[in-house]
Amino acid sequence: MGSPSKKATVAPGPSDLSRLVDPESVAIIGASDRPGSLGARTVANLLDHSDFTGRPYLVSRTKKTIHGLPCHTSVLELPETPEVALLVVPAAQALTVLNECAEKGVRFAIVFTSGFGEMGEEGKRAEAEMARIGREAGMRIYGPNSPGLCNLNKRIGFMFSPSFHLDQRPGPIGLATQGGGIGRCFLQAMERGVGVGLWASTGNEVDLTVADFVRYYADADDISVIATTMEGIKNGPAFADAALYAAERGKPVIALKVGRSDYGARAVASHTGSLSGAAEVNSAVFRQVGIVEVDDMDELIDTAALFTRKRPTGREKVAVYGFSGGGCAMTADAIGSAGLELAEFSEKTLTRLGETLPDYAAVANPVDATSDILSRPEIGHESLRAVADDPDVGVVLYPFPCDYEELTGQIGASIAAVQGETETPILTVWMSDRLGAGYTELVEGGLVPVRSVRNGTKALQRWIERGRWNLDTGWRPIGTAAPGGEESGGERVTHTEPEAKELLARHGVAVPGSGVARTADEAVAVAERVGYPVVLKVVSARITHKTDVGGVAVGLADAGQVRAGLERIRESVTAARPDVPFDGVLVEAMAPAGIDVLVGVSRDPVFGPVMTFGLGGVLVELFQDVARRLLPLTPEQARALVEEPRCAALLRGVRGGAASDVDALVDLLVGVSRFVEVNGGAVEELELNPVRVLPAGRGVVALDAVLVTSGPLEGAK
Amino acid sequence: MGSPSKKATVAPGPSDLSRLVDPESVAIIGASDRPGSLGARTVANLLDHSDFTGRPYLVSRTKKTIHGLPCHTSVLELPETPEVALLVVPAAQALTVLNECAEKGVRFAIVFTSGFGEMGEEGKRAEAEMARIGREAGMRIYGPNSPGLCNLNKRIGFMFSPSFHLDQRPGPIGLATQGGGIGRCFLQAMERGVGVGLWASTGNEVDLTVADFVRYYADADDISVIATTMEGIKNGPAFADAALYAAERGKPVIALKVGRSDYGARAVASHTGSLSGAAEVNSAVFRQVGIVEVDDMDELIDTAALFTRKRPTGREKVAVYGFSGGGCAMTADAIGSAGLELAEFSEKTLTRLGETLPDYAAVANPVDATSDILSRPEIGHESLRAVADDPDVGVVLYPFPCDYEELTGQIGASIAAVQGETETPILTVWMSDRLGAGYTELVEGGLVPVRSVRNGTKALQRWIERGRWNLDTGWRPIGTAAPGGEESGGERVTHTEPEAKELLARHGVAVPGSGVARTADEAVAVAERVGYPVVLKVVSARITHKTDVGGVAVGLADAGQVRAGLERIRESVTAARPDVPFDGVLVEAMAPAGIDVLVGVSRDPVFGPVMTFGLGGVLVELFQDVARRLLPLTPEQARALVEEPRCAALLRGVRGGAASDVDALVDLLVGVSRFVEVNGGAVEELELNPVRVLPAGRGVVALDAVLVTSGPLEGAK
């Protein structure tokens, strides 16, 4: 063992990664001086291209000295316990070396080595062993299959990349990715002025995950915006919780999640061995916890960069300003198509613009200042300033369709000057593939130009939408255990409809008046109690489609019809399913007319119980008009869920139709949520289809219920 | 007058623009030598930066010589009639100079001058006068408010832009835009290897329009792909016809149409004074005539460039290949999300890849060749070649997430080498903002890299979809007159429901058995004839919402109910609308159950009569699930229209529901189309809502009909 006393003094808390990203001592295990080798590049990155002020150690089996530093044959031989160990060793040695690190008391092991979980079952077993070694020793593991980690704000790189020294522009963005090339793609946006303070690329995530870095960035003083690309999420609730933690600290999380299509999910499995949950669930959860989900790398970079410039309120209206009428028209069109609002200029602004710009300029929003400003940048400055000063303008979008050499250069400089005088962000769009002087001026002026109108519009849309998200009504997790992990493990049980309804009714879910009857006399007695007309439904956990076996009789208006209906059901069901004993019928009061909706709960393998809400019936399957939420739900969140699908308009009442009882529907959703919450991991699947929503003031009724559980239910006999 | 005999020998056909883009003689009217002036720049562009081999003439009121050439004081003084005149004169002089050009016999006048239609009514009047001058003299006018024209394949520029000499890369793309900056944006994609042979920027289009250039490019030997951006379309049918003309000649048209949102439409009006039709109609017409509509400039450029490399079949499956696992996963995901298909490699390909690439590479599609290929480009070459050779692969998408200097440079060169050996297009994606050696190699190798995975995927999607479009079933126009133009001009007449149904029935549109009745006896007689149950509806062209005034009685099963129903309607309607004389009721047989759809025809100001088809009822308003087609329709086109909305699944029969009589529905649509065609411009609006579609073999019935016409109808009394 190394020096436990020293180790104790520096030991960080298990999720405090500040000593991982800025340690006092680091060992490179597998150091080399063979040109181009990973070991040699890792040594060079730390010793030549970093401003590392701690103590470096090199471990090599074959070399005595490398780069002027003495080499040790094993981590066990080092004179002190390094806080961080970088493993640049072949896959076959990784477990042995990790064990040595654990024995020495290393706090953080960064495993570059690939060839584990992404290769199949054997690799997955090795990863499980890595996790065990780390867990038992209290050593956090980063990787394997990772390109490393860099702290650009302190200029420290634990990486083997030959590009480390080139891609260094400090900044307020904390970046967490699973892949290396994609992360470097983000870093190279430094060419447009995007600065990244820290980049973690967590690879196969046997221990430390993107979620851990989100949480670390949330606390880090030098980080204000968090950007991430993910292939899989190891623990959904922990990730959601980390994102909320960041949101509470005022730090937006922008995320690109790969695996939206089957192709993506399959590719991800072979790249980092990650499991993908349902993409729709993922997106719903991201919205719930205030994560800004984006569709591609450009959006990720541009949106993150915009957040570093100013925090949105959600009320921003856009001014479009430019010197090309066509570019302005196209940009205004994109703003409209994205559902964003153009600002309406005040009289004062219009006057200022009219006095400044030539007659043939367009001074309403969009402002086509015309190419006159190319030769007279001073009127460009004054008119752009007038637009930025307008009280209705929250942000200016400024398209440059093409490069005109020094002419656009002058304009670029003048925009940077205006930006120095105003708080209103000016988002410039350099559309041309010719990167001329104007582009350079914009980059050097800190304007971080985006590369297309579409990218600029998307970034604005994401930014403004996030401004509307409200932390106070944000979701709070039930717990942070991975849903796949600590299951009850019990057998799956499909409940009968009356059982399911009774369980739900205990949590305030409205169900029809009903009773179970085995004989005609019992059935009539229930019918008299709940009131005619009634419906009869065969009771059996083994019959899924009751109608298909003649197990349902509707609209029974008197005792005679009830008796006949029961007999008909008994005969049909016995004939169709002689294997199922006849256990009687559920007698229920029929509900009045209303709008039928669907309420379901399923268990996402990544995030756990998720509610689905939408209109019931065949048309909605066609239009897939549903919305989803991770449970639990507060009444406010339930109301927002009801408002989300397009069919919400039907519940509000369209074409003179009456409004429906949305309050009662909200109560029902909250009741279902409570039922799921109370029963922990036992609810596997729940479907209420349809729930009938009656006119306002008259309530809702769950007309059917399918419930599948695993493990004991609260209060179940 | 000039020399009419000479003029006659060179006179081109009125729509043959070959002499406009490559004339024997050109006059610059408003030539100047004042540095930076439009006149001076136009002179320099023609004399210094063009390879113009014809005879140039300069016209200046004040100068004797410019640029070593003698100046004339007027176009009338020139020794010969120039084929083309460039007007670089103030707006106030434009009409005078145009008149002189007409008098001289000039064939083509290019008017750079701005300050006309885009400025308001006075400018529009001046434009009308320009059009008149041109029409009467047989002189074609290009502009005004135009940056000019350039023929880069012959290196001839009729332009005032200071950038003309910089933005010259010949190529097979014919570009037509309305704005100048946007067109130049396209030209500057030459930095990525995109070549443009001809660029026309038609400005306010008093005469020559984008459509004229589409038609010219369709015939031009040096152009194989046509790209266009448009703010407005002057004559919709003529444009559609030009696009079909190009399609017949095997030249795809890629179009970006501004004005999809209200903001865009408004901005367009102030930029080029263009009128926007409905964006949905525009998109439907584009699809019909095989125009590839795109959403933004990147898509326009990237899609056009892809078409220049190879023509699609529509059956292309995609291989994703790269050296970054994350980049490959993200790209495969984008392919799946776009609805494209990944190729399945043959055993032979898999074996070749397995033998070539390291063990930890992913050899299924997507192929993650790993960063090993950076240091061993020969295995990159061999494995990429194996993928391109696979029989299931129609195109390869190759993402470069980042620049690694000479390493990615080698790979870029190796891709270019592979492309030289295979017919399979390799579409490379340079994702990084760092434009390193790899980017340069790709550009120089003719691979025309796109700048994001999203852009590459979009281009592939547009390309493959166009491959599926079939010219044989393409639409053919009724005529090429602008729909706003030669109207009958008659008064708008709203027909009564029985009138409308009778007119439609003559063209084979199925309507219920019916008759009009003024008395109870008459009503009963009709009912006995058409069969019970019947519906009664008040007959009046002045009552739009019959139900609101109690003007409808449904489900009348016998003579007594018919008598009572008629009386009830008479009383309600008389009470609600004492101003409207009671003209009787329409007695109709009630239709059996079926699926209710909506069939409408409206008149788009740009394109003329357009049919809308979708599901009837309230839900569809919510989901806006309709499709549109420009009329007329063949049976094949009608069937495609019925198949387009999502609700088509209902007609096919979902969840065990019976299939509906789609054949009869197709007949009805064709009948409606014929009715509109026969009645020329007289049909202003037609709505059949609902049309009930009965189960297969049982037909359709138009249950309601609203018809508004202007002018005489064929066969109307």
Side-chain angles (χ1 to χ4, degrees):
Chain A
M1 271 291 265
S3 49
S5 64
K6 177 158 184 85
K7 175 181 138 198
T9 60
V10 302
S15 58
D16 175 6
L17 306 182
S18 59
R19 307 312 292 264
L20 168 63
V21 303
D22 185 17
E24 290 188 3
S25 54
V26 175
I28 299 175
I29 306 174
S32 168
D33 56 5
R34 184 166 55 83
S37 69
L38 301 192
R41 294 204 309 235
T42 305
V43 170
N45 283 339
L46 184 65
L47 301 182
D48 295 341
H49 305 309
S50 293
D51 295 330
F52 179 60
T53 55
R55 295 172 298 283
Y57 297 102
L58 303 184
V59 174
S60 165
R61 288 189 180 182
T62 53
K63 293 284 171 182
K64 292 286 178 236
T65 64
I66 291 174
H67 217 284
L69 281 184
C71 292
H72 304 265
T73 55
S74 151
V75 69
L76 295 172
E77 307 301 320
L78 296 182
E80 68 168 316
T81 297
E83 283 191 272
V84 173
L86 311 184
L87 275 68
V88 201
V89 299
Q93 294 169 26
L95 287 174
T96 308
V97 173
L98 262 186
N99 267 316
E100 290 172 359
C101 289
E103 188 181 338
K104 183 75 172 179
V106 167
R107 300 300 303 169
F108 295 101
I110 296 180
V111 186
F112 294 153
T113 318
S114 60
F116 292 95
E118 78 278 15
M119 298 286 285
E121 283 313 312
E122 198 179 332
K124 286 207 164 67
R125 277 194 297 277
E127 288 186 357
E129 177 62 11
M130 284 186 195
R132 188 197 58 76
I133 294 168
R135 201 164 48 240
E136 289 182 2
M139 172 175 76
R140 304 302 309 255
I141 300 176
Y142 177 104
N145 192 21
S146 161
L149 175 74
C150 61
N151 179 346
L152 297 171
N153 282 343
K154 296 225 165 171
R155 198 165 177 263
I156 300 173
F158 303 144
M159 322 206 89
F160 57 78
S161 172
S163 297
F164 168 66
H165 66 290
L166 297 170
D167 301 334
Q168 298 186 347
R169 183 182 172 115
I173 296 174
L175 176 64
T177 68
Q178 277 179 283
I182 289 302
R184 193 154 295 283
C185 178
F186 195 117
L187 293 193
Q188 291 184 349
M190 63 185 276
E191 301 293 326
R192 290 194 278 128
V194 177
V196 173
L198 277 150
W199 172 35
S201 186
T202 51
N204 292 7
E205 300 193 335
V206 303
D207 173 16
L208 287 170
T209 67
V210 163
D212 292 299
F213 283 89
V214 169
R215 191 170 277 275
Y216 170 68
Y217 294 153
D219 283 323
D221 290 337
D222 59 337
I223 297 299
S224 68
V225 172
I226 301 168
T228 175
T229 70
M230 280 173 296
E231 303 204 341
I233 298 176
K234 285 276 152 128
N235 178 333
F239 180 73
D241 193 53
L244 278 171
Y245 184 81
E248 281 163 2
R249 277 147 195 79
K251 301 192 185 177
V253 178
I254 331 294
L256 172 58
K257 172 75 179 65
V258 182
R260 295 179 166 203
S261 71
D262 289 347
Y263 290 146
R266 203 202 300 163
V268 152
S270 93
H271 181 226
T272 48
S274 296
L275 183 71
S276 296
E280 309 79 41
V281 170
N282 196 83
S283 299
V285 173
F286 278 16
R287 269 197 303 280
Q288 240 175 310
V289 300
I291 294 174
V292 180
E293 188 179 21
V294 297
D295 295 327
D296 56 42
M297 280 304 290
D298 289 350
E299 262 189 69
L300 182 73
I301 295 168
D302 294 335
T303 307
L306 186 56
F307 272 101
T308 65
R309 295 176 64 187
K310 193 170 185 180
R311 288 295 190 267
T313 63
R315 294 181 302 276
E316 285 81 5
K317 293 188 198 166
V318 184
V320 172
Y321 177 105
F323 52 81
S324 149
C328 287
M330 196 174 276
T331 305
D333 206 18
I335 290 294
S337 297
L340 301 178
E341 260 189 288
L342 285 184
E344 298 214 10
F345 294 155
S346 68
E347 277 307 313
K348 185 176 160 205
T349 306
L350 291 171
T351 306
R352 249 174 108 179
L353 290 172
E355 285 168 1
T356 310
L357 293 173
D359 286 350
Y360 39 90
V363 297
N365 194 1
V367 179
D368 171 12
T370 79
S371 55
D372 279 30
I373 66 167
L374 296 175
S375 44
R376 297 175 58 202
E378 69 285 2
I379 67 169
H381 184 118
E382 166 59 16
S383 54
L384 178 58
R385 179 69 200 272
V387 168
D389 286 350
D390 186 275
D392 204 37
V393 172
V395 61
V396 181
L397 189 57
Y398 193 140
F400 276 68
C402 52
D403 173 59
Y404 291 118
E405 300 187 285
E406 67 275 13
L407 296 178
T408 28
Q410 283 176 24
I411 290 294
S414 115
I415 296 170
V418 174
Q419 186 65 89
E421 300 165 8
T422 175
E423 294 286 307
T424 309
I426 301 169
L427 183 58
T428 53
V429 185
W430 189 269
M431 295 167 68
S432 175
D433 282 302
R434 177 93 39 81
L435 301 180
Y439 175 80
T440 308
E441 291 286 355
L442 294 175
V443 172
E444 288 178 358
L447 286 145
V448 197
V450 300
R451 294 301 309 279
S452 73
V453 171
R454 182 252 175 199
N455 287 356
T457 307
K458 272 285 180 192
L460 282 184
Q461 189 184 356
R462 303 299 188 193
W463 183 72
I464 293 170
E465 276 173 7
R466 176 56 165 72
R468 294 189 192 131
W469 181 77
N470 192 336
L471 182 64
D472 298 336
T473 58
W475 168 86
R476 284 296 173 281
I478 300 177
T480 56
E486 326 294 328
E487 287 292 332
S488 60
E491 208 186 334
R492 282 174 70 97
V493 176
T494 302
H495 297 262
T496 65
E497 184 180 341
E499 279 168 17
K501 284 181 169 169
E502 198 220 317
L503 287 164
L504 287 162
R506 289 190 206 161
H507 292 277
V509 174
V511 295
S514 71
V516 175
R518 289 176 150 274
T519 66
D521 285 348
E522 286 173 19
V524 170
V526 175
E528 308 273 325
R529 173 165 60 78
V530 301
Y532 292 105
V534 295
V535 56
L536 307 188
K537 297 187 252 184
V538 66
V539 172
S540 170
R542 291 169 59 193
I543 296 175
T544 318
H545 298 292
K546 301 182 187 92
T547 313
D548 296 355
V549 297
V552 178
V554 302
L556 309 178
D558 55 36
Q561 291 184 7
V562 167
R563 287 175 192 278
L566 176 65
E567 208 41 50
R568 215 162 50 235
I569 289 177
R570 188 200 307 270
E571 282 168 17
S572 305
V573 172
T574 311
R577 294 291 300 270
D579 57 313
V580 176
F582 184 75
D583 281 340
V585 294
L586 178 65
V587 183
E588 279 189 344
M590 287 194 70
I595 293 177
D596 286 351
V597 297
L598 155 84
V599 177
V601 176
S602 60
R603 175 173 296 278
D604 184 74
V606 172
F607 285 103
V610 172
M611 181 179 285
T612 300
F613 169 78
L615 196 66
V618 62
L619 284 181
V620 169
E621 274 183 33
L622 227 53
F623 295 110
Q624 305 193 349
D625 182 44
V626 296
R628 295 180 176 80
R629 287 286 188 292
L630 202 53
L631 296 180
L633 287 185
T634 64
E636 292 72 32
Q637 292 158 5
R639 195 170 293 273
L641 173 56
V642 168
E643 279 298 312
E644 199 173 301
R646 289 212 224 167
C647 64
L650 278 187
L651 294 171
R652 286 192 297 264
V654 289
R655 269 201 183 171
S660 301
D661 200 335
V662 170
D663 292 345
L665 178 59
V666 165
D667 288 348
L668 180 135
L669 298 189
V670 172
V672 168
S673 171
R674 207 154 41 217
F675 169 74
V676 173
E677 189 175 6
V678 166
N679 288 294
V683 178
E684 292 292 328
E685 200 188 320
L686 171 63
E687 185 169 303
L688 309 181
N689 186 14
V691 170
R692 181 155 299 166
V693 189
L694 304 178
R698 299 187 47 202
V700 294
V701 199
L703 298 187
D704 197 1
V706 174
L707 173 65
V708 181
T709 57
S710 61
L713 291 176
E714 159 270 353
K717 316 291 173 324
Chain B
M1 270 288 267
S3 48
S5 66
K6 181 161 181 89
K7 173 183 140 198
T9 60
V10 302
S15 58
D16 175 7
L17 306 182
S18 58
R19 308 311 293 264
L20 168 62
V21 304
D22 185 17
E24 291 187 4
S25 55
V26 175
I28 298 175
I29 307 174
S32 167
D33 56 6
R34 185 166 54 83
S37 69
L38 301 192
R41 295 203 307 235
T42 306
V43 170
N45 283 341
L46 184 65
L47 301 181
D48 295 342
H49 305 309
S50 293
D51 296 330
F52 180 60
T53 56
R55 296 174 297 282
Y57 297 101
L58 303 184
V59 174
S60 166
R61 290 191 180 180
T62 52
K63 291 285 170 180
K64 292 285 180 238
T65 63
I66 289 173
H67 217 284
L69 280 183
C71 293
H72 304 265
T73 55
S74 153
V75 69
L76 296 172
E77 307 299 319
L78 296 183
E80 68 168 316
T81 298
E83 283 192 90
V84 172
L86 312 185
L87 276 68
V88 201
V89 300
Q93 295 168 26
L95 287 175
T96 307
V97 173
L98 263 186
N99 267 317
E100 291 172 357
C101 289
E103 188 181 340
K104 183 73 173 177
V106 167
R107 300 300 303 169
F108 296 101
I110 296 179
V111 187
F112 294 154
T113 318
S114 59
F116 293 95
E118 78 278 15
M119 297 287 284
E121 283 313 310
E122 198 178 333
K124 285 207 165 67
R125 276 194 296 277
E127 288 186 357
E129 178 62 10
M130 283 186 196
R132 189 196 60 76
I133 294 169
R135 203 165 46 238
E136 291 183 0
M139 172 174 73
R140 305 302 309 255
I141 299 176
Y142 177 103
N145 191 23
S146 161
L149 175 74
C150 61
N151 179 346
L152 296 172
N153 282 344
K154 297 227 166 171
R155 199 165 175 262
I156 300 174
F158 304 144
M159 322 206 87
F160 58 79
S161 172
S163 296
F164 168 66
H165 66 291
L166 297 170
D167 300 336
Q168 297 185 348
R169 184 185 171 113
I173 297 174
L175 177 64
T177 68
Q178 277 179 284
I182 289 302
R184 195 155 291 284
C185 177
F186 196 117
L187 294 193
Q188 292 183 349
M190 64 185 276
E191 301 292 325
R192 290 195 279 127
V194 178
V196 173
L198 278 150
W199 171 34
S201 186
T202 51
N204 291 7
E205 300 192 335
V206 302
D207 174 16
L208 288 170
T209 66
V210 164
D212 293 299
F213 283 89
V214 169
R215 193 170 273 275
Y216 171 68
Y217 294 153
D219 283 322
D221 291 337
D222 59 336
I223 297 300
S224 68
V225 172
I226 302 167
T228 175
T229 69
M230 282 173 295
E231 302 205 341
I233 298 177
K234 284 276 152 125
N235 177 334
F239 179 73
D241 194 52
L244 277 171
Y245 184 80
E248 282 164 359
R249 278 147 194 78
K251 301 191 184 177
V253 178
I254 330 294
L256 172 57
K257 172 75 180 65
V258 182
R260 296 179 165 204
S261 71
D262 290 348
Y263 290 146
R266 205 201 300 163
V268 153
S270 94
H271 180 226
T272 49
S274 297
L275 183 71
S276 295
E280 309 80 39
V281 170
N282 196 82
S283 298
V285 173
F286 279 16
R287 268 198 304 280
Q288 241 175 308
V289 299
I291 295 174
V292 180
E293 188 179 21
V294 297
D295 295 327
D296 56 42
M297 281 304 289
D298 288 351
E299 262 189 69
L300 182 72
I301 297 168
D302 293 335
T303 307
L306 186 56
F307 273 102
T308 67
R309 295 176 65 188
K310 193 172 184 180
R311 288 296 190 266
T313 63
R315 295 181 301 276
E316 284 81 5
K317 294 187 196 167
V318 184
V320 172
Y321 177 105
F323 52 81
S324 148
C328 287
M330 195 174 276
T331 304
D333 206 17
I335 290 293
S337 297
L340 301 178
E341 260 189 286
L342 286 185
E344 298 214 11
F345 295 155
S346 68
E347 277 306 314
K348 184 177 159 204
T349 305
L350 292 170
T351 306
R352 247 174 109 180
L353 291 172
E355 285 168 1
T356 311
L357 294 172
D359 286 350
Y360 40 90
V363 297
N365 195 358
V367 179
D368 172 12
T370 79
S371 56
D372 279 30
I373 66 166
L374 296 174
S375 44
R376 297 175 59 201
E378 69 285 2
I379 67 168
H381 184 118
E382 165 59 16
S383 55
L384 178 59
R385 179 68 201 271
V387 167
D389 286 349
D390 186 275
D392 204 37
V393 171
V395 62
V396 181
L397 189 57
Y398 193 139
F400 277 69
C402 52
D403 174 60
Y404 291 118
E405 299 187 286
E406 67 276 13
L407 295 179
T408 29
Q410 284 175 23
I411 290 294
S414 117
I415 296 171
V418 174
Q419 185 66 89
E421 301 164 8
T422 175
E423 294 286 305
T424 309
I426 302 169
L427 183 58
T428 53
V429 185
W430 190 268
M431 296 167 67
S432 175
D433 282 301
R434 176 93 40 81
L435 301 179
Y439 175 79
T440 307
E441 291 285 354
L442 294 176
V443 172
E444 288 177 358
L447 286 145
V448 197
V450 300
R451 295 302 309 280
S452 72
V453 171
R454 184 251 175 200
N455 287 356
T457 308
K458 272 286 182 191
L460 282 185
Q461 190 183 357
R462 304 300 187 194
W463 184 72
I464 293 171
E465 276 172 6
R466 176 55 165 72
R468 293 189 193 131
W469 181 79
N470 192 336
L471 181 63
D472 298 334
T473 57
W475 168 87
R476 284 295 173 282
I478 299 178
T480 55
E486 326 295 329
E487 287 291 333
S488 60
E491 206 184 336
R492 281 174 69 98
V493 176
T494 302
H495 297 263
T496 64
E497 183 179 344
E499 280 168 15
K501 283 181 169 168
E502 199 221 316
L503 287 164
L504 287 163
R506 290 189 207 162
H507 292 277
V509 174
V511 296
S514 71
V516 174
R518 289 177 149 272
T519 66
D521 286 348
E522 286 173 17
V524 169
V526 175
E528 308 272 324
R529 175 166 58 80
V530 303
Y532 293 104
V534 295
V535 57
L536 306 188
K537 297 187 251 183
V538 65
V539 172
S540 170
R542 291 169 60 194
I543 296 174
T544 317
H545 299 291
K546 301 181 188 92
T547 314
D548 295 357
V549 296
V552 178
V554 301
L556 310 179
D558 56 36
Q561 291 184 9
V562 168
R563 288 174 190 280
L566 177 66
E567 208 39 53
R568 212 161 54 235
I569 287 177
R570 188 200 307 271
E571 280 169 17
S572 305
V573 172
T574 311
R577 293 291 301 272
D579 57 314
V580 175
F582 182 74
D583 282 338
V585 295
L586 179 65
V587 183
E588 279 189 343
M590 287 194 71
I595 294 178
D596 285 351
V597 299
L598 155 86
V599 177
V601 176
S602 60
R603 175 172 297 277
D604 184 74
V606 172
F607 286 103
V610 172
M611 181 179 284
T612 300
F613 168 77
L615 197 65
V618 63
L619 284 180
V620 169
E621 273 183 34
L622 226 53
F623 295 110
Q624 305 193 348
D625 182 43
V626 296
R628 293 180 176 82
R629 287 287 188 293
L630 202 53
L631 297 181
L633 287 186
T634 63
E636 292 72 32
Q637 291 158 5
R639 196 170 293 274
L641 173 57
V642 168
E643 279 298 311
E644 198 172 302
R646 289 211 224 168
C647 64
L650 278 187
L651 294 171
R652 286 192 297 265
V654 288
R655 270 202 184 169
S660 300
D661 200 335
V662 171
D663 292 345
L665 178 58
V666 166
D667 288 346
L668 181 136
L669 298 189
V670 172
V672 169
S673 171
R674 207 156 40 216
F675 170 73
V676 173
E677 190 175 2
V678 166
N679 289 294
V683 178
E684 292 292 328
E685 201 188 321
L686 172 62
E687 186 168 302
L688 308 182
N689 187 14
V691 171
R692 181 155 300 166
V693 189
L694 305 179
R698 299 187 49 202
V700 296
V701 199
L703 298 186
D704 198 2
V706 175
L707 174 65
V708 181
T709 58
S710 61
L713 291 178
E714 160 272 348
K717 317 288 169 337

